[in-house]
Amino acid sequence: MAASALCASCRQLGPCSALTEGNSSREMVSCLDLGSLSNPGFFNYGVETHEAYKKRSLSSDIIEEQKKLQEADLVIFQFPLYWFSVPAVLKGWMDRVLCQGFAFDFPGSYDDGLLKGKLAILSLTTAGTASMYSKTGVNGDFRYFLWPLQHGTLHFCGFKVLAPQISFGPEMASEEERKKMVASWAQRLKTLWEEEPIHCSPPWYFGQ
Amino acid sequence: MAASALCASCRQLGPCSALTEGNSSREMVSCLDLGSLSNPGFFNYGVETHEAYKKRSLSSDIIEEQKKLQEADLVIFQFPLYWFSVPAVLKGWMDRVLCQGFAFDFPGSYDDGLLKGKLAILSLTTAGTASMYSKTGVNGDFRYFLWPLQHGTLHFCGFKVLAPQISFGPEMASEEERKKMVASWAQRLKTLWEEEPIHCSPPWYFGQ
């Protein structure tokens, strides 16, 4: 069992104790995600998850999430922005659920990603204000931080991406402003299905 | 106890069971990171971690990581690129360890971040090749995905950032090419202290 050095659950060298212990709630990639390893002598998480997907031996929580995705026509990711990205618990969902064979393949990425035909939208809250997330603001344009999530993850898997719903700085906003943020999202949801996806390529993110 | 809705460990509404159960290994933000809550009626993770930091009641593993950071003059982040970003386990480290009061404050961000005077460098491996991570490649320029990590996280906390060390596609490279990658990193490490940091602002990332 040579997998332990890469196991985020047990994080120790030597036999991976996580493999033999019950653990029903995990958020990082781990030996626990897999059934028996196809190449225990040379552990490669990507290769092993691909194999486990084909053999249907991925852990049951991953399979359940994949089923939900498979059935969805539109996926809404709702989260608070942590360090210009998703919180770790959601990053772990992406790392674990969007595996090769299910979400992408080679060939089978970007416009040919295996989840093509589906829509996705990021709906997020920030700590900073809209002006802080502008081209001249300290945080730079909000589109800059969307690149890894919208292009590198969602587009890569074949999703068409709708323009994000960003509620800037609700923590510092007045109660009235917060209500407006919720109302505008509620209003948008009514006709979300009719929206045209963005053109997910560098000019949308970094253009003038 | 109104914290449970936001608890990434127990992830259930109602009293947070994670608070009363032993759990020695965690990678996401959680009620478990905190001592007693300063405002249990209105849970805000950022506020509570800031308060817990000041009261020295953060969980012991966070305090230990903060001590290591405090003592470091240079921090090397070594990771495989997962979805244009760090794996969830490292994202969780950022979410939990880099808390207000320790890594930043208001004021006390970017060039005035609380970790100023320290250097940081990302050393990462990718699945894709260098040409895939170029301006005209399918993944776009590698600098695009560095923005949230280098600017939004490291620079935000006051680090000066050295140019990244990227080993492109070691999995597909020959043994000889892989050895060259390791040798060039070893060579660079000898004089890393003498390098000038990058100018961490939009032109470095998105300039022509």
Side-chain angles (χ1 to χ4, degrees):
Chain A
M1 195 74 68
S4 52
L6 278 125
C7 179
S9 280
C10 62
R11 283 186 291 172
Q12 56 192 15
L13 294 169
C16 171
S17 62
L19 278 171
T20 54
E21 287 167 14
N23 185 340
S24 63
S25 170
R26 300 184 302 281
E27 288 85 3
M28 267 80 46
V29 300
S30 154
C31 305
L32 289 163
D33 295 343
L34 312 161
S36 58
L37 301 178
S38 71
N39 187 354
F42 186 75
F43 185 76
N44 178 315
Y45 184 77
V47 168
E48 294 292 346
T49 49
H50 188 196
E51 289 302 316
Y53 174 76
K54 288 187 283 186
K55 287 188 297 182
R56 301 182 187 207
S57 64
L58 283 171
S59 80
S60 59
D61 64 325
I62 295 181
I63 290 173
E64 270 178 53
E65 293 301 301
Q66 291 178 338
K67 272 188 199 153
K68 291 181 207 165
L69 266 184
Q70 203 70 73
E71 288 166 14
D73 297 302
L74 164 68
V75 183
I76 299 172
F77 293 86
Q78 178 72 51
F79 58 95
L81 193 71
Y82 275 25
W83 294 118
F84 282 34
S85 185
V86 291
V89 65
L90 183 48
K91 182 59 168 58
W93 182 94
M94 293 168 173
D95 291 352
R96 298 177 74 229
V97 174
L98 303 175
C99 75
Q100 184 175 354
F102 171 72
F104 66 92
D105 218 325
F106 302 108
S109 64
Y110 289 114
D111 290 348
D112 296 316
L114 303 187
L115 301 180
K116 72 181 166 193
K118 299 180 189 299
L119 292 170
I121 178 171
L122 303 182
S123 173
L124 59 121
T125 50
T126 66
T129 61
S131 67
M132 291 162 79
Y133 283 104
S134 66
K135 274 207 164 33
T136 52
V138 282
N139 297 334
D141 197 286
F142 67 86
R143 296 183 181 207
Y144 298 164
F145 71 71
L146 293 172
W147 173 258
L149 298 168
Q150 292 191 165
H151 183 75
T153 310
L154 298 173
H155 186 189
F156 187 88
C157 295
F159 281 104
K160 294 276 186 194
V161 179
L162 300 178
Q165 179 75 17
I166 309 186
S167 302
F168 289 103
E171 222 178 326
M172 311 209 270
S174 67
E175 188 63 19
E176 190 187 359
E177 287 169 322
R178 273 196 290 270
K179 281 182 180 162
K180 269 189 203 164
M181 290 177 194
V182 175
S184 83
W185 181 215
Q187 184 62 33
R188 186 177 172 196
L189 282 169
K190 291 180 189 169
T191 54
L192 200 63
W193 294 101
E194 298 159 29
E195 289 187 20
E196 279 296 310
I198 65 164
H199 188 67
C200 190
S201 67
W204 188 87
Y205 296 88
F206 316 116
Q208 301 314 312
Chain B
M1 193 74 67
S4 52
L6 278 125
C7 179
S9 281
C10 61
R11 282 187 291 173
Q12 55 193 15
L13 294 170
C16 170
S17 63
L19 279 171
T20 54
E21 288 167 13
N23 185 341
S24 62
S25 171
R26 299 184 302 281
E27 289 85 4
M28 267 80 45
V29 300
S30 153
C31 306
L32 289 163
D33 295 343
L34 312 160
S36 58
L37 300 178
S38 71
N39 186 355
F42 186 76
F43 185 77
N44 179 315
Y45 184 77
V47 168
E48 294 292 345
T49 49
H50 188 195
E51 289 302 316
Y53 174 75
K54 288 188 283 185
K55 287 188 298 184
R56 303 181 185 207
S57 64
L58 283 171
S59 79
S60 59
D61 64 325
I62 295 180
I63 291 173
E64 270 178 53
E65 293 301 301
Q66 291 178 338
K67 272 187 199 153
K68 292 180 207 166
L69 266 185
Q70 203 71 71
E71 288 166 15
D73 297 302
L74 164 68
V75 183
I76 298 173
F77 293 86
Q78 178 72 51
F79 58 95
L81 193 71
Y82 276 25
W83 294 118
F84 282 33
S85 184
V86 291
V89 65
L90 183 47
K91 182 58 167 59
W93 183 93
M94 292 168 173
D95 291 352
R96 298 176 74 230
V97 174
L98 303 175
C99 75
Q100 184 174 355
F102 171 72
F104 66 92
D105 218 325
F106 302 109
S109 64
Y110 289 115
D111 290 348
D112 296 316
L114 303 187
L115 301 179
K116 72 181 165 192
K118 298 180 188 301
L119 292 170
I121 177 170
L122 303 182
S123 172
L124 58 121
T125 50
T126 66
T129 61
S131 68
M132 290 162 79
Y133 284 103
S134 66
K135 274 206 163 37
T136 53
V138 282
N139 297 334
D141 196 287
F142 67 86
R143 296 183 182 207
Y144 298 165
F145 71 69
L146 292 172
W147 174 257
L149 298 168
Q150 292 191 165
H151 183 74
T153 309
L154 298 173
H155 186 190
F156 186 87
C157 296
F159 281 104
K160 292 277 187 193
V161 179
L162 299 179
Q165 180 75 17
I166 309 186
S167 301
F168 290 103
E171 221 177 326
M172 310 207 270
S174 67
E175 188 63 18
E176 190 188 359
E177 287 168 321
R178 274 195 289 271
K179 280 182 180 161
K180 271 189 201 161
M181 290 177 194
V182 175
S184 84
W185 181 216
Q187 185 61 32
R188 185 176 171 197
L189 283 168
K190 291 180 189 168
T191 53
L192 201 63
W193 294 101
E194 298 158 30
E195 290 186 19
E196 279 297 309
I198 66 163
H199 188 65
C200 189
S201 67
W204 188 87
Y205 296 87
F206 317 114
Q208 300 315 310

